[in-house]
């Protein structure tokens, strides 16, 4: 991308200027960041009054959370006239049962529709769908 500096592999985080990642709107970005930090084992890298961000161990991408006044939970599967999801997160796991149990213990809830046997669709505490899956 033009205007973007690419850091050398292994460069310390403070020296980087090439981060990228999705940002989820939510009513409580700090609580949602803590949920995903526990779920994924990622580091809380930033927290301020408007949001928070997590960085995985490889330190290149991030997952951000932004306060959204008037936030309305999306509905999945989609229903006419209801707020639709615009994206979801996928996480490959090696033990689907253990990963689902961990997510549920942290406050996720199972979605009403499960489309594939090797995938579990869950909703985070703000209602965003995310998928845990094993490679079939």
């Amino acid at each position: 991308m033009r205007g973007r500096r690419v850091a050398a592999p292994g460069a310390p985080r403070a020296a980087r200027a090439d981060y990228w990642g999705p940002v989820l709107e939510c009513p409580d970005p700090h609580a949602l960041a803590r949920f995903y930090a526990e779920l994924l084992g990622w580091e809380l890298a930033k927290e301020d009054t408007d949001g928070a961000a997590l960085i995985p161990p490889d330190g290149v991408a991030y997952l951000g959370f932004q306060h959204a006044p008037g936030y309305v939970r999306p509905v999945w599967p989609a229903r006419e006239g209801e707020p639709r999801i615009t994206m979801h997160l996928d996480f490959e796991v090696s033990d689907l049962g253990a990963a689902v149990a961990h997510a549920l213990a942290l406050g996720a809830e199972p979605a009403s529709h499960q489309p594939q046997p090797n995938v579990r669709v869950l909703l985070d505490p703000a209602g965003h769908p995310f998928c845990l899956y094993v490679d079939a």
Side-chain angles (χ1 to χ4, degrees), residues 51-125:
L54 304 178
I55 295 190
D58 66 15
V60 176
Y62 63 84
L63 181 57
F65 309 91
Q66 177 178 315
H67 180 251
Y71 174 82
V72 177
R73 288 173 66 114
V75 174
W76 192 90
R79 290 192 301 257
E80 187 67 33
E82 299 285 335
R84 297 178 60 94
I85 65 167
T86 57
M87 66 168 277
H88 71 274
L89 302 171
D90 283 344
F91 301 103
E92 184 175 1
V93 298
S94 56
D95 183 332
L96 188 57
V100 169
H102 181 226
L104 295 175
L106 292 171
E109 53 188 271
S112 62
H113 177 64
Q114 299 295 327
Q116 299 162 295
N118 64 322
V119 177
R120 288 297 167 271
V121 181
L122 302 171
L123 306 175
D124 71 23

Side-chain angles (χ1 to χ4, degrees), residues 9-89:
R13 183 176 331 191
R16 301 189 71 98
D18 61 345
Y19 290 106
W20 66 273
V23 178
L24 300 177
E25 291 189 344
C26 55
D28 186 344
H30 306 114
L32 198 56
R34 286 190 298 275
F35 168 80
Y36 279 104
E38 286 292 321
L39 179 72
L40 302 171
W42 291 5
E43 175 187 344
L44 181 63
K46 177 185 176 190
E47 193 169 25
D48 61 30
T49 57
D50 293 324
L54 304 178
I55 295 190
D58 66 15
V60 176
Y62 63 84
L63 181 57
F65 309 91
Q66 177 178 315
H67 180 251
Y71 174 82
V72 177
R73 288 173 66 114
V75 174
W76 192 90
R79 290 192 301 257
E80 187 67 33
E82 299 285 335
R84 297 178 60 94
I85 65 167
T86 57
M87 66 168 277
H88 71 274
L89 302 171

